Amino acid sequence: MLLALDDAISMAVLAGRGTDAEIFGVIDLTSKIEVPIGAISLGRAIQFVANASVLGYDVRGAMVLYGEPRTPSLRIWDCEHLWAQYGGALLQP
């Protein structure tokens, strides 16, 4: 059942990759200050969080919010999994 749930979430995210998303909880490792990330597409938000550590950010506490108010947020492990599974397809229109 868990695999089916993961597949359903993955497919929903892939289908909604162009919707607006916001990222909260991104810390700049140099200044130790939370960095405000403006509204970007869901696919780009997933890409950013999945690769943020290479860019000098701490995203261990980050959340990607998107969709309707009751839509579950994505955490770092979700973004890493989705980016590894779909990669550049998340950036396609």
Side-chain angles (χ1 to χ4, degrees), residues 6-49:
D6 285 346
D7 287 345
I9 292 170
S10 294
M11 295 311 296
V13 166
L14 187 59
R17 65 189 175 263
T19 62
D20 286 341
E22 294 183 82
I23 308 170
F24 296 97
V26 175
I27 307 296
D28 182 322
L29 291 174
T30 305
S31 65
K32 307 292 190 232
I33 296 173
E34 184 171 354
V35 179
I37 308 287
I40 59 175
S41 72
L42 177 57
R44 293 212 180 272
I46 291 167
Q47 177 192 30
F48 177 83
V49 172

Side-chain angles (χ1 to χ4, degrees), residues 9 22 24 62-66 68-79:
I9 292 170
E22 294 183 82
F24 296 97
M63 296 184 308
V64 176
L65 303 178
Y66 68 101
E68 297 299 319
R70 294 195 180 264
T71 304
S73 62
L74 299 175
R75 304 301 295 241
I76 185 171
W77 55 86
D78 301 315
C79 293

